[in-house]
Amino acid sequence: MKKKLIAGNWKMNGSLAGNETLVKGLLAGLGSPACHVALCVPSIYLAQMQALLNGSAIDVGAQDVSPHEVGAYTGEISGAMLNEFGTRYVLVGHSERRQYHFETDALVASKAQRALACGITPIVCVGETLAEREAGKTEEVVKRQLAAVIHTNGHCISEIVVAYEPVWAIGTGKTASVEQAQQVHAVLRAQLKAATPQADRIHILYGGSMNAANAAQLLAQPDIDGGLVGGASLKAADFLSIIASAL
Ligand code: PEP
């Protein structure tokens, strides 16, 4: 069985001093985790993370990457730049970027492509809003979002990580039930299986108010291969407890 992956998403939180305290707390309690662990941090802190996490069991992750290789794209950060700071993962298509930065499925797919071209694993986020769930459109939405990435990335698709994050569960304290989460994960797995014979090696993470109390049950589902954790990744004890549940 593949090792699970627990990735923290710090979003736009942190400070030099606070990051150091949090990471030191994590490293002090981590031991030899049974799962892969990553922290997706604001890009301005990548150099600090590279120094703090060097040689540890925690990989460095970023929260966005430009779809462009190089050039006149003010404010953007390229995959090659992320690489220089030891970045192993990058989130693409997080619902906050789809919502506040109007990222389309096609843009998310090209960001995933750029990450792969730079040897960085994209964590492709998909998920339905509450209105879409209530309209019975959950499957249609997540399949459309993933299809764009499959279409653009062809045989490289086995190199991605997928995160199913129901938008209504992000930062709200409302978690999808284990049945709801597993059902969507199974749909995504079937879609990946139709695209690649290596679909079983792809990690499909659940994200949306995962915490120390609900992680073990979610992570015990057959198609849930880990978690993308927002709020609870900002507290060392909570994040360590989630990591310890990922067996
Ligand atoms: C996220 O931002 O990816 C997330 C899952 O946040 P939270 O865990 O806070 O719901």
Side-chain angles (χ1 to χ4, degrees), residues 9 11 94 96 165 169-172 207-210 228-232:
N9 173 15
K11 311 194 191 206
H94 191 282
E96 287 150 15
E165 298 205 304
I170 297 179
T172 58
S209 298
M210 185 180 267
L228 180 55
V229 184

Side-chain angles (χ1 to χ4, degrees), residues 12-96:
M12 197 176 72
N13 292 293
S15 64
L16 287 171
N19 299 346
E20 188 167 341
T21 306
L22 177 52
V23 168
K24 286 190 171 159
L26 288 173
L27 294 178
L30 191 64
S32 305
C35 61
H36 303 288
V37 182
L39 292 175
C40 299
V41 304
S43 296
I44 196 143
Y45 296 131
L46 287 170
Q48 184 193 22
M49 287 304 120
Q50 187 181 32
L52 286 171
L53 298 175
N54 185 26
S56 80
I58 303 182
D59 285 315
V60 178
Q63 298 177 7
D64 190 28
V65 62
S66 173
H68 305 289
E69 204 172 329
V70 67
Y73 301 101
T74 301
E76 294 268 78
I77 293 177
S78 73
M81 292 169 186
L82 295 181
N83 250 333
E84 287 202 290
F85 294 93
T87 306
R88 166 91 178 72
Y89 298 97
V90 62
L91 302 179
V92 297
H94 191 282
S95 64
E96 287 150 15

Side-chain angles (χ1 to χ4, degrees), residues 113-237:
Q113 186 176 38
R114 197 88 283 286
L116 288 167
C118 293
I120 299 169
T121 301
I123 301 180
V124 177
C125 304
V126 300
E128 81 288 2
T129 62
L130 186 58
E132 288 163 342
R133 174 162 282 269
E134 286 175 350
K137 292 194 169 155
T138 298
E139 271 192 34
E140 179 189 321
V141 169
V142 298
K143 283 168 90 172
R144 189 203 70 223
Q145 292 172 332
L146 183 57
V149 179
I150 292 172
H151 176 74
T152 305
N153 290 281
H155 68 274
C156 294
I157 205 68
S158 59
E159 305 301 322
I160 73 168
V161 168
V162 177
Y164 168 55
E165 298 205 304
V167 179
W168 48 272
I170 297 179
T172 58
K174 285 186 202 148
T175 316
S177 68
V178 287
E179 294 80 13
Q180 285 172 324
Q182 166 56 30
Q183 196 252 330
V184 178
H185 279 237
V187 165
L188 295 170
R189 180 85 62 204
Q191 189 178 5
L192 291 166
K193 276 193 174 150
T196 170
Q198 293 179 306
D200 281 330
R201 57 173 275 206
I202 299 176
H203 285 84
I204 308 180
L205 314 183
Y206 169 79
S209 298
M210 185 180 267
N211 58 39
N214 61 29
Q217 247 199 320
L218 285 159
L219 293 168
Q221 301 308 302
D223 287 300
I224 300 186
D225 307 311
L228 180 55
V229 184
S233 71
L234 298 171
K235 293 178 201 135

